[in-house]
Amino acid sequence: MAFFVAWCLIYRMAVRILDVGEEHADYLHDESRRVGRAERIAFPETTEEVVEVLQVASENHWPVTVQGGRTGITGGCVPEGGLILNVSHMKAIGHLDGDRMTLQPGALLADIRSSIEGSGWFFPSDLTETTASIGGMVANNASGARSFKYGAVRNWIHALDVVLPSGEIVQVERGVHRANGRCFRLGAVGGRLQAHLRKCAWVKSAAGYYVEPDMDLVDLFIGAEGTLGVVTGITIQLLPKPEQLIGLTAFYASESEALRFVRFLREGGVAPPTAIEFFDSHALGLLRRMKAENPAFAGLPELAPEFHTAIYFEFECEVPDAVAEASASALECWFSEGEHEIVALKNFRHAIPESVNMIIAERKKTLPGLTKLGTDMSVPDERMEDVMQMYHEGLAEAGLDYVIFGHIGNNHVHVNILPRSKEEYERGRALYLDWAKQVVEWGGSVSAEHGIGKNKTDFLKLMVGQEGIRAMRELKRLFDPAGMLNPGNLFDG
Ligand SMILES: Cc1cc2nc3c(=O)[nH]c(=O)nc-3n(C[C@H](O)[C@H](O)[C@H](O)COP(=O)(O)OP(=O)(O)OC[C@H]3O[C@@H](n4cnc5c(N)ncnc54)[C@H](O)[C@@H]3O)c2cc1C
């Protein structure tokens, strides 16, 4: 430690770089339960301090891993040696400026929401996990239930301040800083954006870099998983808050009936809902079990044994008559109105991944190699029923325990496999790889919202091919020739 104190003095550093000790154990993993290692950690508070940290890391050839809220589920913020640059002390939330607001990257979604409560504005990004930081959301191009109407967070980011691996600070504003065809320049960095990566522009996707001719350069950093620069300032775009918000949960006796209702909501000529979410019979079973066995889940609503599948959907207007009529075929339909009642329903939704994470954490005590096996793939509209059939049949054949839930409106559900042994874990991984091949063949994406991180690099390779990975590496090299920032994310090494 004395070495670092002396060193900070030499460099006149405002920010301290600490040795990683036992007290930093939590900073070595994310919610995927992947566990890494690091020798040093820093908690900068300003953009200038981020610059200092990157300069010291560069001079010492330390790899740097950026961390926000550590709620990621792909190992993206899990270090593989070197220095952790944790932005959780950069959480200032600026004042409203018309329909925009400027934030530091560590500001949490829950705090952003509370800060605009009662202002008449709202931020459409709607992750289930509200302790995610805005920097992490930008880095992953995160989405959520309401992305059915509002799209991913990319749509609500107006401008970014980014510290490049060289220590240079760049500011990129939508509509102002753009590529010229496929050529771009940002500060000292410039080059060509190759036509290589957007293999599935027609489905929801957060896999790999976003590249388009004449693109807004702010989009280069959104979804780049911290591989091109550290985001230190974010200007978000807000929308007038809808006057009405109605959430409904329809319970069906079978999955096929529930999927027919999803098709009706999407294609029945009615005003489109804001969100369409899905819970399979295993997810409802898990909620029943958690309510019965764990006092922390005692507040969950009672679910009748005949409820097989549930669809949650949301309207920002009166429920259209045709939807009310169509939902009459459900066994039961719960109605909730206003933000307060809807938050209670969201807790119900959040309880599923939370329970899965608890189960994995428990099983990891006896099976240390275990990580969460959760899919995040999307397919084109016409493949919705096919992909559900593929998941159920594969899992039944493999004899694995699982739950399925998520954003069925975008044909994007999360299959969470719950392995009970190392052998089941391997079987689950093999199955996941087979699914990914099929999804890519159907024109889908291997990651719709969680990103690739370190856990899904094989899948990105599958989707964009060797040529795509080579082109991605070239883009990364333009910004980060030494490969210092977030090594291991998107592609190995
Ligand atoms: C229960 C649960 C529910 C979830 N629900 C959703 C959901 O509905 N939708 C969804 O999209 N995701 C969801 N997630 C996943 C997760 O919340 C998101 O991926 C989120 O965007 C991660 O943000 P974070 O701040 O925790 O980032 P971290 O986990 O800390 O980091 C994620 C990635 O971003 C990079 N990063 C972080 N901060 C910066 C920065 N300032 N500059 C550059 N790079 C940075 C990291 O290096 C890493 O690669 C859920 C997770 C859990 C546990």
Side-chain angles (χ1 to χ4, degrees), residues 434-451:
D434 285 348
W435 290 338
K437 285 180 190 154
Q438 180 62 75
V439 161
V440 167
E441 221 166 275
W442 282 336
S445 172
V446 295
S447 170
E449 66 178 6
H450 294 159

Side-chain angles (χ1 to χ4, degrees), residues 156-354:
W156 310 105
I157 302 301
H158 177 68
L160 295 175
D161 295 343
V162 183
V163 182
L164 303 183
S166 62
E168 182 179 11
I169 303 168
V170 292
Q171 290 170 329
V172 270
E173 187 177 347
R174 196 171 289 287
V176 177
H177 303 99
R178 305 182 68 113
N180 179 4
R182 292 204 170 270
C183 295
F184 80 98
R185 172 148 298 280
L186 264 180
V189 180
R192 236 186 113 64
L193 301 165
Q194 299 189 35
H196 45 45
L197 296 170
R198 300 210 63 209
K199 294 272 172 182
C200 58
W202 49 90
V203 295
K204 180 175 170 188
S205 182
Y209 297 129
Y210 179 102
V211 170
E212 289 284 359
D214 299 316
M215 66 185 283
D216 273 302
L217 293 175
V218 70
D219 283 324
L220 260 189
F221 298 98
I222 304 173
E225 303 195 29
T227 57
L228 304 181
V230 183
V231 175
T232 59
I234 299 112
T235 305
I236 57 173
Q237 179 71 51
L238 304 170
L239 282 180
K241 190 170 176 167
E243 282 174 15
Q244 205 171 15
L245 194 58
I246 293 173
L248 298 108
T249 312
F251 293 95
Y252 287 88
S254 72
E255 187 165 308
S256 52
E257 283 175 87
L259 293 182
R260 265 199 302 279
F261 183 60
V262 170
R263 283 242 171 249
F264 169 79
L265 284 175
R266 288 200 311 209
E267 298 157 16
V270 291
T274 326
I276 313 179
E277 297 282 299
F278 172 89
F279 308 85
D280 87 327
S281 59
H282 300 253
L284 297 186
L286 177 66
L287 289 176
R288 286 187 194 100
R289 207 169 76 224
M290 295 308 275
K291 181 176 170 65
E293 292 172 6
N294 188 329
F297 293 88
L300 287 175
E302 204 70 54
L303 295 171
E306 64 272 23
F307 293 172
H308 182 277
T309 307
I311 303 296
Y312 170 77
F313 54 108
E314 218 171 77
F315 282 98
E316 289 171 349
C317 58
E318 289 298 335
V319 179
D321 289 345
V323 174
E325 275 166 37
S327 61
S329 65
L331 293 171
E332 198 167 305
C333 193
W334 295 349
F335 180 93
S336 45
E337 187 160 16
E339 202 66 50
H340 187 68
E341 284 184 21
I342 284 179
V343 165
L345 265 185
K346 292 268 163 73
N347 292 341
F348 166 90
R349 158 80 169 77
H350 188 237
I352 299 170
E354 234 186 350

